[in-house]
Amino acid sequence: MSRDYVIDQMISAKTIDARIEELAQDIRSAFGGTEKLVVVGLLRGSFVFIADLVRELDFDVEVDFLEASSYGGSTESSREVRILKDLRGEIGGRDVLVVEDIVDTGFTLSHVVRLLRSRNPRRLETIALLDKPSRREVDIKATWTGFEIPDEFVVGYGIDYAQHNRNLPFIGKVRFS
Ligand code: 5GP
Ligand code: MG
């Protein structure tokens, strides 16, 4: 059982929408000439973001998913990153965009980037919807970031608290009551 909590809205659905349009423009200019971009979503938190993002891209994309170990029902990031589900497709020689929900300590993204680079993509960039710079322990920053946020535990727009609240259309912060 989780503790009692309330959710205060932090970023509205409208604000997320507008930001995704801007991010998509950046991605379009960066990957303009690409034959087909491989968009890699990190499960499970990025599934709503990736769905909205790819629909703003007006060129061919392939969508693939990778699942790295998360930290279950707790709110502390784990340093040990394990791959629970690998990509279905090959990325050697291809243009790849890794889509993450939140960069927190940075362990997850840096591990995933190292792994995927070892497969020799032609180009690999990263995008994170949210970034908590004050929590960083590994020196990594996504190529593009949606919003920098303070050190709060957030939910919604694909992001969960113990498998609840993923379907909220906005980003909210969890306040324990
Ligand atoms: P990192 O490896 O950067 O510490 O952690 C990244 C992962 O931790 C994110 O992909 C996300 O799954 C999880 N995470 C970090 N901050 C939060 C948060 O505020 N809420 C939720 N639900 N997950 C978070
Ligand atoms: Mg995650």
Side-chain angles (χ1 to χ4, degrees), residues 62-66 85-91 119:
E62 178 171 326
V63 176
D64 207 338
F65 292 98
L66 187 144
K85 183 210 167 292
D86 205 340
L87 299 178
R88 289 284 296 273
E90 302 290 332
I91 58 166
R119 298 176 188 177

Side-chain angles (χ1 to χ4, degrees), residues 104-177:
D104 189 44
T105 62
F107 281 103
T108 306
L109 191 61
S110 67
H111 182 92
V112 167
V113 164
R114 207 177 321 117
L115 173 72
L116 297 186
R117 281 202 199 287
S118 74
R119 298 176 188 177
N120 301 310
R122 188 166 79 132
R123 177 170 181 187
L124 185 146
E125 305 292 346
T126 55
I127 183 168
L129 178 66
L130 304 173
D131 188 352
K132 296 183 189 173
S134 66
R135 295 260 311 159
R136 197 72 87 255
E137 292 178 38
V138 176
D139 184 23
I140 188 166
K141 191 165 171 52
T143 316
W144 299 286
T145 297
F147 304 92
E148 288 197 353
I149 61 168
D151 180 14
E152 302 277 2
F153 191 78
V154 297
V155 293
Y157 198 72
I159 301 161
D160 75 305
Y161 173 41
Q163 304 308 325
H164 294 281
N165 312 119
R166 286 194 201 273
N167 54 328
L168 291 175
F170 57 87
I171 301 284
K173 65 177 178 192
V174 171
R175 178 158 52 87
F176 295 99
S177 48

